[in-house]
């Protein structure tokens, strides 16, 4: 199937570990007229990279978008081996143990790294990259072609924790913790990065009433998203005391597309702890400018989103209900 370009829309490559909230990010992007999803690469995180690709293809097919190329990316992080995803959060198959209708589609033959590099040439200067899983593919792409940043408009990353506690250790967030070496390489590369950390993604939640609205949408994809969210909302009862969920990956997607905007997003130096100590995976964001209104730090290429201008959930629901 050939990909038909959306005229006037920004080309976007999504790198993900699909994943319940990755599914929401994917769906949001498909429903966003501002952007044209030109390719998806998968990486191990919530689930193995191959299963993530199957999930992605199944979701794309339900949305009638089997034309979007999906490439399997890195199975293992740069240092070490993938130990399996958190089945109690994303299910044994990554999509909440829901059996999505199989698309019958196959990933493209090229790797996620090759897909990203090819798209960066085809859309040089325009391509927007959104990464909502471990950063292995991006780091490998940088290794393979260090000139990549010169062809990418910007990079939006769901990951890290600035002032918020971590979610897999006291200081580390899962996407960064799953491949700190990759995150260190990506965050020190010569491109503009918007980091969307737990500080903002734990703030806006999707409620059980929203999930019910998805179930009852009467459209092709939204009811399946409602099914996929069931286990995830159950997991978050321990965190929030009720059935609802954080919106990590769709918030990164919405910030990339401009559906919500950063309200407080200091441009500061960010260092990733890739030591073997208790700080491994921490994103050390230099927020010492707090009391001076966060002046831009000379040479810093990373904006760390600490507040957004509007809640995501209503906007997200509006778009998801169209699919
Ligand atoms: C991030 O980790 C993954 O489990 C989610 O999909 C999200 O990208 C949140 O820490
Ligand atoms: Ca993810």
């Amino acid at each position: 199937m050939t990909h038909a370009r959306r005229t006037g829309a920004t080309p976007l490559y999504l790198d993900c570990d699909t994943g319940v909230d990755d599914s929401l990010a994917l769906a949001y992007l498909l429903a966003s007229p501002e952007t044209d999803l030109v390719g998806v690469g998968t990486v191990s995180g919530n689930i193995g990279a191959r299963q993530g690709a199957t999930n992605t293809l199944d979701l794309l097919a339900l949305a009638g978008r089997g034309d979007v190329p999906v490439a399997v990316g890195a199975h293992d992080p740069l240092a070490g081996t993938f130990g399996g995803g958190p089945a109690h959060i994303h299910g044994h198959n990554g999509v909440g143990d829901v059996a999505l209708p199989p698309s019958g589609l196959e990933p493209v033959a090229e790797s996620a790294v090759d897909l990203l590099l090819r798209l960066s040439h085809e859309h040089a200067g325009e391509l927007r990259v959104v990464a909502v899983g471990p950063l292995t593919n991006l780091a490998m792409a940088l290794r393979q072609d260090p000139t990549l940043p010169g062809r990418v408009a910007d990079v939006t990353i769901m990951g890290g924790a600035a002032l918020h506690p971590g979610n897999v250790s006291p200081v580390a967030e899962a996407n960064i913790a799953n491949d700190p070496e990759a995150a260190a390489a990506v965050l020190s590369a010569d491109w503009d990065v918007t980091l969307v950390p737990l500080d903002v993604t734990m703030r806006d939640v999707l409620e059980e009433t929203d999930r019910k609205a998805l179930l009852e949408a009467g459209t092709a994809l939204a009811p399946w998203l409602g099914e996929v969210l069931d286990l995830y909302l159950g997991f978050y009862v321990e965190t929030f005391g009720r059935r609802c969920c954080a919106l990590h990956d769709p918030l990164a997607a919405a910030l990339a597309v401009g559906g919500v905007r950063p309200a407080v997003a200091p441009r500061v130096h960010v260092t990733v702890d890739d030591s073997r100590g208790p700080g491994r995976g921490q994103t050390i964001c230099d927020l010492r400018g707090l009391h001076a209104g966060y002046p831009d730090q000379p040479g810093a290429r990373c904006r760390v989103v600490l507040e957004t201008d509007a809640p995501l959930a209503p906007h997200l629901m509006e778009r998801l209900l169209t699919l």
Side-chain angles (χ1 to χ4, degrees):
M1 218 178 296
T2 328
H3 178 75
R5 280 293 310 271
R6 244 179 200 168
T7 40
T10 311
L12 188 147
Y13 165 85
L14 175 68
D15 202 274
C16 54
D17 55 336
T18 321
V20 175
D21 58 326
D22 304 74
S23 305
L24 299 182
L26 175 73
Y28 172 86
L29 291 171
L30 294 175
S32 295
E34 304 88 347
T35 199
D36 182 22
L37 186 64
V38 291
V40 180
T42 62
V43 61
S44 297
N46 295 325
I47 196 74
R50 182 62 181 82
Q51 179 65 40
T54 300
N55 296 342
T56 306
L57 288 164
D58 291 347
L59 293 161
L60 285 168
L62 282 166
R65 291 300 310 277
D67 59 300
V68 177
V70 177
V72 180
H75 181 72
D76 292 319
L78 293 186
T81 49
F82 175 56
H88 62 297
I89 307 175
H90 295 271
H92 294 88
N93 64 353
V95 282
D97 291 327
V98 172
L100 295 173
S103 69
L105 299 169
E106 288 293 326
V108 293
E110 63 193 336
S111 68
V113 168
D114 288 341
L115 175 65
L116 169 57
L117 291 175
R118 180 168 62 77
L119 291 171
S120 75
H121 284 284
E122 284 174 16
H123 306 283
E126 268 192 295
L127 186 69
R128 186 156 272 175
V129 173
V130 176
V132 296
L135 295 168
T136 322
N137 291 334
L138 270 61
M140 287 171 65
L142 286 167
R143 266 188 197 174
Q144 195 166 311
D145 183 354
T147 66
L148 171 66
R151 296 186 303 276
V152 164
D154 54 29
V155 183
T156 304
I157 295 169
M158 188 284 130
L163 300 168
H164 193 280
N167 60 1
V168 292
S169 86
V171 295
E173 179 279 330
N175 287 340
I176 307 298
N178 279 330
D179 197 341
E181 284 76 13
V186 170
L187 284 166
S188 58
D190 192 20
W191 49 17
D192 288 324
V193 171
T194 299
L195 191 68
V196 185
L198 295 176
D199 305 66
V200 271
T201 68
M202 291 295 288
R203 229 181 251 176
D204 280 338
V205 297
L206 198 82
E207 301 287 346
E208 174 67 9
T209 47
D210 296 318
R211 189 181 81 85
K212 294 224 167 86
L214 290 169
L215 286 174
E216 289 158 13
T219 51
L221 177 59
W224 285 105
L225 295 174
E227 298 284 356
V228 164
L229 279 162
D230 192 19
L231 180 76
Y232 200 58
L233 266 66
F235 163 74
Y236 273 106
V237 171
E238 198 184 321
T239 308
F240 293 117
R242 64 181 194 282
R243 281 180 60 80
C244 64
C245 70
L247 291 170
H248 307 294
D249 295 351
L251 184 59
L255 281 159
V257 162
V260 295
R261 292 184 184 79
V264 179
R267 189 177 297 278
V268 296
H269 292 284
V270 177
T271 310
V272 177
D273 185 338
D274 58 1
S275 72
R276 296 277 155 183
R280 182 166 171 80
Q282 182 175 15
T283 43
I284 302 162
C285 304
D286 188 349
L287 297 176
R288 286 176 289 179
L290 165 68
H291 298 293
Y294 291 125
D296 284 354
Q297 290 178 349
R301 298 291 299 267
C302 184
R303 288 194 310 163
V304 180
V305 184
L306 298 176
E307 280 177 35
T308 56
D309 70 340
L312 173 63
H315 169 66
L316 175 68
M317 283 299 293
E318 198 182 305
R319 294 206 170 176
L320 296 184
L321 287 169
T322 66
L323 295 171

